[in-house]
Amino acid sequence: MPDTGARLLEGAPIAAEIRTAVAESVVNYRERVGRSPLLAILIVGRDAPSMVYLQQILKSCDLVGIDRRAVELDGEVTERAVIEALAELNADPTVSGIIVQMPLPPTIRLRAIVDAIDPAKDIDGIHPLNAGLLRLGYDGFLPATAHAAVEILRRSGIEIEGKDAVIIGRSTVVGMPAAFLLVREDATVTVCHSRTVDLAAHVRRGDIVVVAAGHPGLVTGDMLKPGAVVVDVGINVVDGKLVGDVDFESASRVASAITPVPGGVGPLTNAMLISHLVRAAEAQQAQARPLSEPVVGGSA
Ligand code: NAP
């Protein structure tokens, strides 16, 4: 990485910290429950980029002692068959969390699949119930990437309260949940998208700029306020190289801190996901009280 004026916000050390805490929770869970938390990954067809992502998730699980089960369905399968596979995973008490590999084949409606996941096992926060809980400021499951984008700021000691945060991207999995999280952290948030007029004018007001557009080089140094903190969520392949949405070279001369790509938000995303899984496993365990046990305190 070239020597830059900006502080590098690297995801790997934070991810390692989170994995250490998760591994301890897994040991504790296994001692109490007699098995490890289990992540189920539903794969419909073998889309190449998502299979790479899958390998990274499996590796993260292995590192912390989480069991995992990949359920692979043929790419030609019907929507009903996918929903039935999810129903089985929902009903299986040994399955703590479920993720569905995206993208789905075009014949399958995303919304039908998302709705079929048990919200209590929806560790990537894609079910409408979890999206609604986030919107209301309650503790549901957060989309792992948006969570990672904000967690990298929090754990790097970047002040968020009272800052102007500009987010580029309004997707349900990254841009919007990151916006709600930053509002929750008391930032003043602007959300930009492809119809935003004069993107640079908005970006220039940002003390914190989170970029999740999927466009390499979209944000350059001359668009930034001097001293801005830049979180680059983008993942793009250009000339065989992995790059973000931010022109790192020019941006790092103006920013006070910046996440690299690769090595920034990416490594943290899987760590957030497995931390959500352990939380799901613990919550399900707390619910699985024997019926004979008296309920203390009323409505639980
Ligand atoms: P997405 O669903 O395609 O959404 C992209 C968003 O960016 C949309 O809201 C779009 O606006 C906006 N946008 C596109 N071009 C723009 C432009 N020229 N100016 C301003 N806004 C623009 O993508 P996503 O799933 O949110 O992912 C965003 C990026 O993050 C991608 O590069 C993806 O690969 C990466 N990603 C990284 C991780 C990770 O772990 N680091 C995980 C997931 C995704 P409209 O709404 O108007 O179309």
Side-chain angles (χ1 to χ4, degrees):
M1 202 58 72
D3 190 22
T4 67
R7 172 183 166 202
L8 267 191
L9 304 178
E10 289 180 286
I14 302 172
E17 250 173 58
I18 293 171
R19 274 199 302 271
T20 301
V22 168
E24 281 169 18
S25 303
V26 169
V27 169
N28 184 288
Y29 179 94
R30 203 184 300 124
E31 276 168 13
R32 279 180 292 120
V33 181
R35 56 179 161 78
S36 286
L38 187 147
L39 171 65
I41 305 155
L42 186 64
I43 304 152
V44 188
R46 289 189 147 252
D47 177 78
S50 85
M51 293 311 280
V52 172
Y53 180 56
L54 172 68
Q55 292 311 320
Q56 291 168 354
I57 296 172
L58 298 181
K59 194 173 147 207
S60 291
C61 290
D62 293 347
L63 282 171
V64 297
I66 287 173
D67 287 339
R68 72 298 203 290
R69 183 192 304 165
V71 177
E72 292 198 44
L73 300 178
D74 190 276
E76 308 292 307
V77 81
T78 62
E79 187 175 290
R80 169 95 344 245
V82 181
I83 291 171
E84 280 167 7
L86 280 171
E88 270 182 42
L89 297 173
N90 288 342
D92 184 339
T94 67
V95 172
S96 321
I98 302 168
I99 54 172
V100 179
Q101 277 298 96
M102 302 290 174
L104 290 163
T107 49
I108 295 175
R109 290 169 305 155
L110 175 65
R111 180 65 199 267
I113 301 311
V114 164
D115 285 354
I117 301 173
D118 179 350
K121 297 187 178 186
D122 170 35
I123 59 161
D124 205 10
I126 60 173
H127 189 280
L129 180 82
N130 283 313
L133 289 173
L134 170 61
R135 171 68 187 81
L136 295 172
Y138 298 142
D139 276 335
F141 287 111
L142 302 170
T145 304
H147 196 183
V150 176
E151 199 63 17
I152 205 165
L153 293 171
R154 291 181 63 246
R155 291 196 184 226
S156 305
I158 305 287
E159 202 180 326
I160 302 175
E161 184 183 333
K163 300 295 178 191
D164 280 323
V166 176
I167 302 190
I168 308 179
R170 58 175 165 181
S171 73
T172 53
V173 286
V174 192
M176 289 313 294
F180 288 125
L181 280 172
L182 286 169
V183 169
R184 199 197 271 190
E185 296 284 333
D186 295 322
T188 302
V189 176
T190 303
V191 179
C192 302
H193 45 76
S194 67
R195 310 295 167 89
T196 296
V197 177
D198 201 351
L199 182 69
H202 289 282
V203 171
R204 203 160 292 123
R205 280 199 293 274
D207 302 305
I208 295 169
V209 180
V210 178
V211 193
H215 271 251
L218 181 65
V219 171
T220 48
D222 58 344
M223 296 165 77
L224 294 168
K225 180 197 257 191
V229 174
V230 179
V231 178
D232 189 353
V233 183
I235 297 179
N236 312 284
V237 179
V238 175
D239 298 332
K241 262 184 69 185
L242 211 58
V243 297
D245 288 348
V246 176
D247 175 47
F248 185 86
E249 207 188 308
S250 62
S252 57
R253 276 189 254 120
V254 182
S256 61
I258 185 167
T259 61
V261 177
V265 175
L268 205 50
T269 300
N270 282 347
M272 297 321 301
L273 198 65
I274 56 173
S275 74
H276 297 176
L277 180 87
V278 170
R279 185 179 147 213
E282 294 285 5
Q284 288 153 29
Q285 212 42 44
Q287 298 254 312
R289 247 189 327 243
L291 284 177
S292 57
E293 190 179 309
V295 176
V296 181
S299 64

